[in-house]
């Protein structure tokens, strides 16, 4: 947005004068860990009315921030999604399992690539999950098409 305003501010000063630009920088661990912990606990306990099961540990907060690439809005959405999952399953608390299930559903990742369950989570690149999901879907589609083609081309004429 800043580039857009800067580009057109020379020709239209009104755009620059009427714009309030806010930089949304990525959050980083551990510097922003305390605010993320506070947000998680507020959404889980106050907004959803559930107990927070192990969600205040340093490792969980670091995993959460890593899973969301430090994006504030994505972090809130993931926490809300985990709460919704807990409520749908009639759980009284939100725990790591709810986050793992919500993350898997949102990203399409397999368990080894799930930031919340993998032992090697620091090496996982969350942005790659969607690409991996699409690659698997394309491969499955190609395999299905190949099976269909081999069945239809292998038939004798007149059948």
């Amino acid at each position: 947005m800043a580039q857009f305003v800067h580009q057109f501010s020379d020709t239209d000063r009104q755009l620059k004068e009427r714009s309030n630009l806010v930089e949304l920088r990525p959050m980083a661990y551990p510097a922003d860990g305390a605010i993320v912990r506070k947000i998680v606990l507020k959404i889980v306990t106050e907004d959803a009315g559930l107990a927070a099961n192990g969600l205040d540990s340093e490792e969980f907060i670091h995993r959460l921030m890593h899973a969301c690439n430090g994006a504030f809005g994505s972090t809130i959405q993931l926490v809300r999604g985990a709460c919704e999952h807990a409520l749908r399953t009639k759980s009284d608390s939100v725990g790591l399992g709810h986050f793992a299930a919500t993350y898997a559903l949102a990203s399409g990742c397999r368990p080894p690539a799930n930031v919340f369950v993998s032992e090697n989570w620091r090496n996982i690149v969350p942005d790659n999950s969607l690409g991996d999901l699409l690659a698997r879907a394309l491969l499955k589609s190609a395999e299905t098409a190949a099976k269909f083609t081999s069945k239809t081309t292998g038939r004798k004429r007149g059948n």
Side-chain angles (χ1 to χ4, degrees), residues 15-85:
L15 182 63
K16 185 176 181 180
E17 292 170 358
R18 293 181 180 169
S19 300
N20 293 323
L21 300 178
V22 177
E23 179 186 6
L24 299 176
R25 66 169 180 78
M27 295 183 297
Y29 184 85
D32 297 310
I35 190 69
V36 171
R37 180 178 294 101
K38 186 175 179 179
I39 290 166
V40 169
L41 296 177
K42 182 194 180 309
I43 292 171
V44 171
T45 60
E46 294 178 30
D47 298 344
L50 299 166
N53 186 8
L55 304 182
D56 59 347
S57 75
E58 289 296 319
E59 183 176 341
F60 171 76
I61 297 301
H62 194 175
R63 284 179 187 251
L64 176 62
M65 292 175 74
H66 182 75
C68 297
N69 288 317
F72 185 77
S74 296
T75 302
I76 291 171
Q77 286 300 101
L78 187 58
V79 174
R80 291 178 67 197
C83 290
E84 290 170 11
H85 179 63

